Amino acid sequence: EVQLVESGGGLVQPGRSMKLSCAASGFTFSNYGMAWVRQAPTKGLEWVATISYDGSSTYYRDSVKGRFTISRDNAKSTLYLQMNSLRSEDTATYYCTRGNCYWGQGVMVTVSS
Amino acid sequence: DVVLTQTPPTLSATIGQSVSISCRSSQSLLHSNGNTYLHWLLQRPGQSPQLLIYLVSRLESGVPNRFSGSGSGTDFTLKISGVEAEDLGVYYCVQGTHAPFTFGSGTKLEIK
């Protein structure tokens, strides 16, 4: 069974950093591209970043370019999202997803002073 | 980016009623490899999204067959034939044909 388990969220002040992790199991992690999707409170789903199966290619939405970094450790079957210079508008539940078919339970990130 | 326009934004149905949700794309979702990467998700209250339909019309394993998907090119439809109480939530279409993948704005299904 495919499982994706996010961790690392919480409350952070504007301008600070936070790193999210997504532990994958139940499939060969190194064979699949992965992505982060977020959902602001009461809002819809919004793609954040994508990484290729081997980590060689990464893509970001414009509003997070230069601030967020997606990465992966295939040996650990883990996906990461390093978030720097956080803003209030980054407040959301962050999901890791494999191809929009499998989703984690999400982790809440609140950016507030 | 591809824009997916979902209608209606909200839907109120009685148990047993059949309903449809429309998803229209700003450009064709037919990939050069012949696949159309248009999927449907359901997000129940307080839960993460779950896949219902993939590649326009393929039912995800474990999803009841009262759900069905159809369409091609730029126009797609999700149909629920006989709504049940557990179907309440927000339905999203999502496209993966053109990078970056994008989501519709969602259709909230309420049970009368």
Side-chain angles (χ1 to χ4, degrees), chain B:
Chain B
D1 295 358
V2 172
V3 176
L4 298 180
T5 302
Q6 258 184 264
T7 56
T10 59
L11 205 46
S12 185
T14 56
I15 301 298
Q17 182 179 350
S18 292
V19 298
S20 293
I21 299 170
S22 171
C23 178
R24 291 188 170 176
S25 174
S26 60
Q27 55 186 282
S28 175
L29 299 183
L30 177 63
H31 194 278
S32 56
N33 66 11
N35 289 327
T36 299
Y37 295 92
L38 187 284
H39 320 306
W40 291 94
L41 309 172
L42 166 60
Q43 187 173 33
R44 293 189 172 98
Q47 296 186 18
S48 57
Q50 67 170 101
L51 182 68
L52 297 176
I53 301 282
Y54 63 99
L55 297 176
V56 179
S57 60
R58 301 184 187 185
L59 195 65
E60 171 67 356
S61 176
V63 174
N65 60 12
R66 62 180 179 274
F67 292 93
S68 62
S70 63
S72 64
T74 60
D75 287 350
F76 304 92
T77 301
L78 174 70
K79 183 177 182 180
I80 310 173
S81 301
V83 167
E84 297 193 5
E86 65 181 19
D87 299 338
L88 73 91
V90 181
Y91 292 79
Y92 294 94
C93 54
V94 53
Q95 70 83 23
T97 297
H98 303 285
F101 62 83
T102 50
F103 299 90
S105 54
T107 295
K108 185 175 184 179
L109 176 61
E110 301 171 338
I111 307 298
K112 288 181 185 175

Side-chain angles (χ1 to χ4, degrees), chain A residues 16-113:
Chain A
R16 303 298 291 265
S17 299
M18 178 174 280
K19 187 171 186 177
L20 306 181
S21 300
C22 171
S25 61
F27 66 102
T28 304
F29 182 71
S30 58
N31 286 352
Y32 293 89
M34 298 291 295
W36 288 98
V37 171
R38 67 185 180 185
Q39 185 173 36
T42 73
K43 300 296 185 182
L45 300 167
E46 178 179 86
W47 168 76
V48 175
T50 295
I51 188 166
S52 61
Y53 70 99
D54 60 356
S56 61
S57 298
T58 57
Y59 311 88
Y60 301 92
R61 70 178 303 104
D62 287 347
S63 60
V64 308
K65 275 181 189 174
R67 299 189 300 123
F68 289 13
T69 302
I70 187 172
S71 62
R72 64 191 298 157
D73 184 334
N74 283 346
K76 295 183 178 179
S77 296
T78 302
L79 177 71
Y80 302 101
L81 186 66
Q82 175 68 46
M83 304 183 292
N84 299 330
S85 303
L86 282 161
R87 306 168 180 168
S88 58
E89 54 264 37
D90 297 318
T91 293
T93 296
Y94 286 73
Y95 298 99
C96 69
T97 177
R98 193 195 97 183
N100 293 310
C101 296
Y102 298 97
W103 295 73
Q105 85 287 354
V107 62
M108 184 70 198
V109 173
T110 303
V111 184
S112 175
S113 54

